[in-house]
């Protein structure tokens, strides 16, 4: 009997099998359903090599995280780098058929031999709609509503604080939470079920549903106590003054206000990031400055001393001075011309 038990233990703990405690996360993206793929092995978080990585592998990650369908498999190095300088590449040659419920169920190699962080895998999943802001201007301001049992309902302000607002703003891919007026007027209050009350968030939760709260649907609130949240609008950019949307003076959106970008240090890598983010193909900007062609901007100059590697998916991920800090005037506004393909 002892020999049989020893054989069983040897089989169950053999080197080819992964521990059931393994987990996965997406890091550095705008929300929990997009970013660089990281896995946990023996208490250590590390990345996944993109050798052979495809949408089938991404679909498993999206399913495991409770996100929507897999949309893209970008390079993981296009997201904000890890602050852990000793982080390792922990997996290589992942091969999923796309039906697995977790990444640990896929074939994979933990003996990483020829991958660096330049080959980290990334995933973009569709963000599932389980919370929304209603009644405000834009999707980042309004009455908080959550989806439960297939029906949208409101959240009572009892127990609500700024940490809970931070979770909602992050979950929606909006900017930071700001202090806001209390909800609601007759025109903006809800009229359906009140699903949630006594939400107690630390601010670090991935979603509002992860916060401790009272029993769903059990409360003593009225719609006069519906919760209202305001987030800064997410980062956005545009080209203005050109013949098409893919050429013009560069403007970025910050705190709901459009402003220009100073050309100090601006070059080909920065042009490429802008064109990529706008889905406008490659940069066609000539070597000479092009901003005079599109005229000077007015109002705020938001960014200065921007430095990109060219791999970033968003200009926001590039290095730059603090928002609004610069030594420029509008004669130095950046202009960009893209191929539109």
């Amino acid at each position: 009997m002892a020999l049989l038990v020893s054989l069983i233990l040897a089989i169950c703990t053999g080197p080819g099998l992964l521990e059931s405690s393994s987990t996965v996360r997406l890091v550095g993206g705008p929300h929990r359903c997009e970013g660089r793929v990281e896995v946990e092995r023996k208490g250590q978080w590390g990345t996944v090599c993109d050798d052979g990585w495809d949408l089938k592998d991404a679909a498993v990650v999206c399913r495991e995280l409770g996100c929507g369908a897999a949309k893209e498999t970008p390079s993981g190095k296009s997201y904000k780098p890890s602050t852990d300088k000793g982080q390792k590449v922990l997996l290589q040659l992942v091969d999923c058929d796309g039906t697995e419920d977790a990444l640990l169920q896929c074939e994979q190699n933990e003996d990483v031999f020829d991958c660096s962080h330049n080959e980290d895998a990334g995933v973009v999943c569709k963000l599932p709609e389980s919370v929304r802001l209603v009644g405000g201007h834009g999707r980042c301001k309004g009455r908080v509503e959550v989806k439960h049992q297939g029906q949208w309902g409101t959240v009572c302000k009892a127990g609500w604080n700024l940490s809970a607002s931070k979770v909602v703003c992050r979950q929606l891919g909006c900017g930071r939470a700001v202090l806001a007026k209390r909800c609601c007027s007759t025109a903006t209050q809800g009229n359906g079920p009140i699903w949630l009350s006594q939400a107690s968030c630390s601010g670090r939760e991935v979603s509002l549903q992860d916060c401790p709260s009272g029993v769903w649907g059990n409360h003593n609130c009225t719609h006069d106590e519906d919760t209202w949240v305001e987030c800064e609008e997410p980062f956005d950019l545009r080209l203005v003054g050109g013949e098409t949307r893919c050429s013009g003076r560069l403007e970025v959106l910050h705190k709901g206000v459009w402003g220009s970008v100073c050309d100090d240090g601006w070059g080909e890598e920065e042009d490429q990031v802008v064109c990529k983010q706008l889905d406008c193909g490659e940069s066609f900007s000539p070597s000479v400055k092009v901003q005079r062609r599109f005229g000077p901007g007015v109002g705020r100059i938001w960014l200065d001393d921007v430095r990109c590697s060219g791999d970033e998916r968003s200009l926001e991920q590039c290095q730059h001075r603090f928002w609004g800090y610069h030594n420029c005037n509008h004669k130095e506004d950046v202009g960009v011309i893209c191929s539109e393909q």
Side-chain angles (χ1 to χ4, degrees):
M1 177 63 74
L3 177 60
L4 178 59
V5 171
S6 298
L7 287 172
I8 292 173
L9 288 173
I11 293 171
C12 293
T13 59
L17 298 178
L18 297 172
E19 294 128 350
S20 61
S21 59
S22 300
T23 53
V24 65
R25 66 187 182 187
L26 297 178
V27 179
H31 50 74
R32 71 179 186 87
C33 293
E34 176 181 349
R36 181 178 57 259
V37 183
E38 294 190 359
V39 293
E40 186 183 25
R41 295 292 183 269
K42 299 178 181 177
Q44 179 186 25
W45 285 98
T47 60
V48 177
C49 183
D50 66 4
D51 287 355
W53 189 263
D54 58 23
L55 278 174
K56 291 182 179 179
D57 308 313
V60 175
V61 171
C62 295
R63 184 178 302 116
E64 183 172 357
L65 293 175
C67 298
K71 297 169 61 177
E72 298 178 52
T73 56
S75 170
K77 68 178 182 179
S78 62
Y79 297 103
K80 296 177 182 178
S82 172
T83 57
D84 180 5
K85 301 302 181 182
Q87 189 180 57
K88 298 179 179 179
V89 182
L90 296 181
L91 288 184
Q92 186 175 11
L93 300 175
V94 177
D95 184 17
C96 306
D97 64 25
T99 62
E100 296 88 349
D101 292 322
L103 197 65
L104 65 88
Q105 297 172 359
C106 303
E107 293 185 19
Q108 50 200 259
N109 191 341
E110 293 189 37
D111 182 18
V112 179
F113 51 88
D114 64 352
C115 271
S116 70
H117 286 302
N118 288 330
E119 300 172 86
D120 285 345
V123 168
V124 179
C125 314
K126 185 177 180 181
L127 190 64
E129 192 177 29
S130 59
V131 64
R132 65 185 182 185
L133 299 178
V134 180
H137 296 291
R139 70 179 187 85
C140 294
K141 179 186 299 184
R143 181 181 69 251
V144 183
E145 292 193 352
V146 291
K147 196 172 188 179
H148 181 58
Q149 296 179 343
Q151 186 176 7
W152 288 100
T154 60
V155 176
C156 180
K157 68 185 180 184
W160 193 268
N161 56 24
L162 186 60
S163 293
S165 296
K166 290 179 180 178
V167 173
V168 170
C169 293
R170 186 187 313 119
Q171 187 174 354
L172 291 173
C174 297
R176 66 178 182 177
V178 297
L179 292 173
K181 65 182 182 180
R182 290 177 173 251
C183 189
C184 286
S185 67
T186 303
T188 57
Q189 69 183 23
N191 55 17
I194 300 173
W195 281 131
L196 200 58
S197 66
Q198 298 296 332
S200 178
C201 303
S202 68
R204 297 185 294 272
E205 293 84 359
V206 172
S207 69
L208 185 61
Q209 287 81 351
D210 295 332
C211 298
S213 68
V215 177
W216 284 70
N218 187 5
H219 60 86
N220 57 358
C221 303
T222 69
H223 283 297
D224 291 334
E225 301 170 90
D226 286 345
T227 299
W228 183 275
V229 164
E230 294 186 8
C231 318
E232 290 183 354
E233 290 293 326
F235 177 86
D236 200 2
L237 56 79
R238 65 186 181 185
L239 298 176
V240 299
E243 295 181 357
T244 71
R245 73 173 189 88
C246 293
S247 66
R249 183 180 63 255
L250 176 62
E251 293 188 351
V252 294
L253 181 67
H254 180 60
K255 293 186 176 180
V257 177
W258 288 98
S260 58
V261 177
C262 182
D263 67 4
D264 289 350
W266 191 272
E268 183 179 353
E269 291 81 7
E270 290 74 27
D271 277 351
Q272 293 291 2
V273 172
V274 169
C275 294
K276 179 168 51 179
Q277 185 172 353
L278 291 173
D279 195 22
C280 284
E282 299 295 320
S283 166
F284 268 15
S285 297
S287 58
V288 297
K289 302 297 183 182
V290 300
Q291 65 267 32
R292 291 182 181 177
R293 182 180 306 183
F294 307 116
V298 295
R300 300 299 301 264
I301 299 175
W302 277 132
L303 293 180
D304 188 18
D305 293 327
V306 179
R307 297 289 189 276
C308 305
S309 68
D311 295 317
E312 296 87 355
R313 293 174 58 81
S314 168
L315 193 68
E316 188 181 24
Q317 297 171 354
C318 300
Q319 296 180 1
H320 55 78
R321 298 178 69 176
F322 289 115
W323 288 90
Y325 285 82
H326 61 85
N327 57 358
C328 307
N329 58 55
H330 283 296
K331 292 181 181 179
E332 302 171 84
D333 288 345
V334 166
V336 176
I337 300 174
C338 307
S339 67
E340 301 186 46
Q341 297 295 326

